[in-house]
Amino acid sequence: MTSESPDPGTVRPGGRTARVRSAVLRAAGDALAEHGLAGLDLADVARRAEAGRTTVYRRWGTPANLVADLLTDMAEQSLPRTETGTLIGDLRANARLVQRTLADPRQGALFKAVIAAATCDAQAATALRRFYDIRVAEWEPCVRQAVERGELPAGTDTREVVRAVSAPLYYRLLTTDEPLDEAAADRAAQAAVAAARAGVFASA
């Protein structure tokens, strides 16, 4: 165990401090969804959360630190994977979870904001990569089990299969005004499974 101080907002406290953190992160998410990173102001977040401005500045310090902690919390609060016993069942469950999240008015706007933030802020980009690493790692065992069952070729890049499920849904969110419905989620899962079975994700 090192003696180095953790990054702002990374301590996992209990009691009142935990309630303050929860309120601040909720307020930060609301502000991001409404105004993006450029409009994320710590004083405004403190006001929304009914928290002391000094507390917010001392603990997080910068909007980028706040975004990083928000993404950490989002990853930890995400629902666990579903295991149905079949690859298509598992990946359809994954796709529908992503679809419900992105189709939610607040959550969809929030993801657009953090993705935009990651394009111009290195700390936000690192936090976003960490968020997706955690989510991919949560669902990767479903694909690994499919390889072990013989549903997919040996040598399949299991993490890439998981990424292939959600990629079309994010593309639709960011580039079109088409609805993000369950049909889109199911197509994304079916396409990923078909490609994986064809060996697209298998090492040469």
Side-chain angles (χ1 to χ4, degrees):
M1 185 174 183
T2 68
S3 59
E4 296 176 356
S5 297
D7 292 335
T10 60
V11 176
R12 303 296 297 173
R16 180 180 178 279
T17 306
R19 291 192 294 274
V20 170
R21 177 176 182 264
S22 178
V24 168
L25 294 183
R26 175 75 187 184
D30 289 342
L32 267 176
E34 293 170 18
H35 306 298
L37 182 64
L40 185 62
D41 177 75
L42 296 188
D44 176 55
V45 169
R47 179 188 59 78
R48 290 171 182 250
E50 299 182 351
R53 184 182 301 189
T54 301
T55 298
V56 173
Y57 276 94
R58 182 176 64 246
R59 181 164 182 186
W60 286 278
T62 67
N65 282 335
L66 191 51
V67 171
D69 195 29
L70 175 63
L71 284 164
T72 297
D73 185 69
M74 288 166 60
E76 293 170 352
Q77 298 301 322
S78 294
L79 293 174
R81 68 178 176 273
T82 299
E83 295 189 6
T84 65
T86 65
L87 180 63
I88 184 58
D90 293 349
L91 295 190
R92 184 182 292 118
N94 175 242
R96 288 188 179 185
L97 175 59
V98 173
Q99 174 262 322
R100 287 194 302 272
T101 300
L102 299 183
D104 178 83
R106 179 184 181 274
Q107 290 290 90
L110 177 54
F111 272 99
K112 285 182 178 180
V114 296
I115 290 169
T119 66
C120 58
D121 183 272
Q123 189 171 355
T126 298
L128 188 64
R129 285 194 296 270
R130 186 183 305 122
F131 171 84
Y132 286 115
D133 281 345
I134 291 170
R135 296 312 300 152
V136 170
E138 173 67 24
W139 286 86
E140 181 271 339
C142 294
V143 186
R144 178 160 31 86
Q145 291 162 12
V147 174
E148 294 167 355
R149 291 193 300 264
E151 284 192 67
L152 296 180
T156 293
D157 187 329
T158 52
R159 294 176 67 87
E160 280 300 301
V161 176
V162 177
R163 294 188 184 105
V165 174
S166 58
L169 303 177
Y170 278 93
Y171 184 84
R172 178 172 287 218
L173 172 74
L174 296 171
T175 67
T176 80
D177 60 357
E178 298 172 9
L180 260 173
D181 51 20
E182 283 193 350
D186 291 350
R187 282 195 302 272
Q190 291 162 2
V193 170
R197 286 176 175 163
V200 171
F201 301 107
S203 56

